[in-house]
Amino acid sequence: MCGVSLRIELHRHIVWPLRGGRAPSCWACNHPREELFPARPDNVLRRGAGELSYNEFYWQYMHHNWPVIITDVSTDWQCQQWTSSNVDEGDDNANANTGLAGAHINFDYLRRRIGDCPVPVADCNATYFNSHAKAELNFHDYLSRWQARIEGEAEVNSNVARMKTDDNLYLKDWHLAAQMPSYDFYQVPKYFASDWLNEQLMAEKRDDYRFVYMGPKDSWTSYHSDVFGSFSWSTNIVGHKKWLIMPPGEELKLSDRLGNLPFSINEQLLDEHKVHYFTINQTANEAVFVPSGWYHQVWNLSDTISINHNWFNACNVPMVWRNLLSNLKAVRKEISDCQQMDNFEAHCQTMLRASFGINYLDFIELLEFISARRLAALADDTRSSSTTTKFLLFDTYKMSDYHVQHDLECLRELLTLMLDDPSVQQSPAQLSERCQRLLSQLAAQKSRI
């Protein structure tokens, strides 16, 4: 979508109509909210991209940390060419696996369009320390093994005397967008454009959280919640996925005496433990929004390709902070016998980054980056009398002035919360001073409004 900019409008908080039930405290804050909240529906709703506005999605789903399925989101994506049903009749790939059980995967086009680069795969038939065993294959080798599996299943179904392959390899967490930045094979839907995590990582050309998943029928992802306590979104390009997903806290009903959660779940297990959960059947051209802290397990019921992001923003960054704090406490407990060593706090931060993925320094740098961008945008708007930002999110989306102000207000609240925590005072890298300096900058900006 190069050369095109779209405006994402955020307005003041709208109220979701009450459907029985009462308003609980907001999950992301330490004080009760006055806004109304809906009673839990019996299923995860489907909303069409043509009728769901950005503003409605932001307040009704992201702000309330509630899942939704958004339909018709990937119709115009270039990666629709990864499916054989979208090949032009004159294309020399028109013979892509016609008549096979997996004819919807255009293996020839994928080989021609994407080089034979190394890709990460998980073996769904093997476990290694409570996760699927990991390996690395060349992409074209992976496609060949996947195609052989499909052909083997087709011949078994046709009573041909040939054993189907035992491979159940799931290509996961592939940074294709970062590896091929000139290949615009998808566009981030507007609903997911406010993405502080990838906004920073992409600008600084660091490893991001934009992924491609490709997997055969019966491949699956084990029971988990997403990294950092982030949101995630997953759009099926082709195929059918089944999700079991549950609100935060329900996973505790499944923990053993040591607090360990199961590697895999099913409906029988959830029913036996009286877990409140939802089942999602996701088909092609649908995006599933997974809120923060919602544990889930996912199965590919057919050969499937999806685009996935992890991200956080003003709605859920308080939860990321709480998870960061909780993991630091766990690290300190783990090495509590070393408290008298020199640079104990610095060692804790090193271990925190290794176990959680980020530490306090990474977190404050992200907050500084987001603040600087939005403060600069407001300064530009003041000079030009514009009501949208000059920078683009994912090279496409401009933020409205209210959206920028809302981000900054949430940053002020978060920094105030952080400065009240003793671990920030004890942290190396002058974290307390940096938080105070940033809060002062944001307070000065607010006073000029």
Side-chain angles (χ1 to χ4, degrees):
M1 199 175 287
C2 296
V4 177
S5 64
L6 302 175
R7 176 168 162 146
I8 51 173
E9 291 281 2
L10 187 68
H11 309 292
R12 294 189 184 278
H13 193 170
I14 62 175
V15 176
W16 200 357
L18 190 67
R19 305 173 187 168
R22 61 188 184 88
S25 298
C26 177
W27 68 274
C29 304
N30 293 328
H31 54 83
R33 292 275 187 178
E34 297 300 327
E35 296 87 1
L36 299 178
F37 192 79
R40 288 176 172 176
D42 294 330
N43 53 27
V44 178
L45 300 178
R46 275 181 165 80
R47 302 292 303 274
E51 56 89 15
L52 179 64
S53 70
Y54 176 82
N55 196 59
E56 188 178 1
F57 172 77
Y58 190 99
W59 294 119
Q60 292 191 3
Y61 299 103
M62 280 203 298
H63 179 73
H64 285 309
N65 205 48
W66 200 259
V68 67
I69 305 164
I70 307 176
T71 63
D72 304 317
V73 295
S74 60
T75 305
D76 298 326
W77 291 4
Q78 198 282 335
C79 58
Q80 292 295 336
Q81 296 296 318
W82 297 355
T83 67
S84 57
S85 60
N86 285 280
V87 179
D88 294 336
E89 290 184 2
D91 194 312
D92 58 7
N93 286 311
N95 63 347
N97 314 304
T98 302
L100 297 180
H104 51 278
I105 305 293
N106 190 342
F107 291 102
D108 292 340
Y109 182 87
L110 285 167
R111 289 188 184 93
R112 188 176 68 178
R113 188 63 184 82
I114 302 173
D116 194 19
C117 55
V119 294
V121 298
D123 186 347
C124 297
N125 290 338
T127 58
Y128 181 76
F129 289 102
N130 207 36
S131 69
H132 286 134
K134 304 296 193 301
E136 188 176 88
L137 292 176
N138 286 336
F139 180 53
H140 293 182
D141 291 339
Y142 175 79
L143 292 179
S144 295
R145 294 173 73 159
W146 187 3
Q147 198 168 5
R149 175 188 172 98
I150 294 170
E151 292 170 349
E153 289 176 346
E155 293 186 353
V156 167
N157 292 336
S158 301
N159 295 319
V160 175
R162 173 179 167 179
M163 293 295 292
K164 70 175 183 178
T165 176
D166 290 330
D167 273 354
N168 194 4
L169 303 179
Y170 197 177
L171 194 166
K172 299 172 59 178
D173 300 330
W174 183 18
H175 295 270
L176 178 60
Q179 291 179 12
M180 299 182 66
S182 62
Y183 184 18
D184 295 324
F185 57 94
Y186 75 106
Q187 290 81 44
V188 174
K190 63 184 178 183
Y191 311 104
F192 315 129
S194 178
D195 176 345
W196 293 6
L197 179 62
N198 289 301
E199 182 181 341
Q200 180 203 23
L201 297 176
M202 291 168 62
E204 297 178 353
K205 301 187 184 307
R206 293 160 54 190
D207 278 349
D208 56 42
Y209 288 84
R210 301 175 295 158
F211 306 113
V212 170
Y213 280 45
M214 298 184 178
K217 177 184 176 182
D218 298 327
S219 54
W220 56 289
T221 300
S222 60
Y223 183 60
H224 70 286
S225 67
D226 287 315
V227 60
F228 309 140
S230 63
F231 295 142
S232 67
W233 62 265
S234 177
T235 298
N236 273 10
I237 306 307
V238 64
H240 181 189
K241 289 184 180 182
K242 174 186 172 182
W243 300 64
L244 295 179
I245 183 169
M246 62 198 65
E250 292 296 308
E251 75 282 356
L252 300 177
K253 298 175 182 178
L254 300 173
S255 59
D256 63 19
R257 289 180 297 175
L258 299 178
N260 299 313
L261 294 173
F263 179 63
S264 180
I265 60 172
N266 55 39
E267 290 92 335
Q268 180 180 349
L269 178 68
L270 300 182
D271 292 338
E272 287 174 353
H273 288 79
K274 295 181 170 54
V275 173
H276 177 67
Y277 67 95
F278 300 101
T279 301
I280 296 174
N281 284 289
Q282 179 192 16
T283 58
N285 204 15
E286 293 185 334
V288 172
F289 167 63
V290 182
S292 290
W294 284 61
Y295 274 77
H296 52 281
Q297 184 165 327
V298 188
W299 294 262
N300 292 327
L301 302 185
S302 66
D303 299 304
T304 303
I305 298 176
S306 64
I307 310 296
N308 310 286
H309 282 204
N310 292 102
W311 93 104
F312 54 81
N313 58 25
C315 290
N316 65 335
V317 70
M319 186 173 188
V320 176
W321 164 246
R322 286 202 300 273
N323 286 343
L324 189 60
L325 180 58
S326 175
N327 276 266
L328 177 61
K329 290 178 179 178
V331 165
R332 281 179 168 162
K333 182 178 180 180
E334 183 72 19
I335 61 171
S336 58
D337 56 338
C338 302
Q339 285 186 7
Q340 302 307 314
M341 69 184 296
D342 293 337
N343 301 317
F344 175 74
E345 292 297 333
H347 285 293
C348 287
Q349 291 295 322
T350 299
M351 292 182 63
L352 179 62
R353 179 183 284 156
S355 61
F356 187 65
I358 58 174
N359 63 12
Y360 278 21
L361 177 61
D362 302 318
F363 192 64
I364 189 61
E365 286 179 348
L366 182 143
L367 300 184
E368 289 169 342
F369 175 88
I370 295 298
S371 299
R373 265 197 144 190
R374 279 139 187 79
L375 290 172
L378 289 181
D380 288 343
D381 291 346
T382 300
R383 288 192 291 267
S384 66
S385 300
S386 172
T387 58
T388 57
T389 59
K390 297 300 185 294
F391 69 88
L392 297 180
L393 303 174
F394 295 105
D395 297 322
T396 302
Y397 300 103
K398 293 182 179 180
M399 301 173 68
S400 66
D401 181 68
Y402 179 81
H403 204 321
V404 175
Q405 295 283 8
H406 176 69
D407 278 4
L408 292 174
E409 180 59 32
C410 289
L411 283 165
R412 284 188 285 267
E413 293 180 0
L414 176 61
L415 288 163
T416 301
L417 183 68
M418 291 173 63
L419 284 167
D420 285 340
D421 193 279
S423 68
V424 173
Q425 305 294 333
Q426 301 166 4
S427 176
Q430 295 78 46
L431 182 66
S432 178
E433 292 84 350
R434 291 173 72 168
C435 287
Q436 188 60 62
R437 187 184 314 120
L438 183 55
L439 183 59
S440 297
Q441 294 172 359
L442 298 178
Q445 181 274 329
K446 185 178 182 179
S447 68
R448 293 193 293 268
I449 298 176

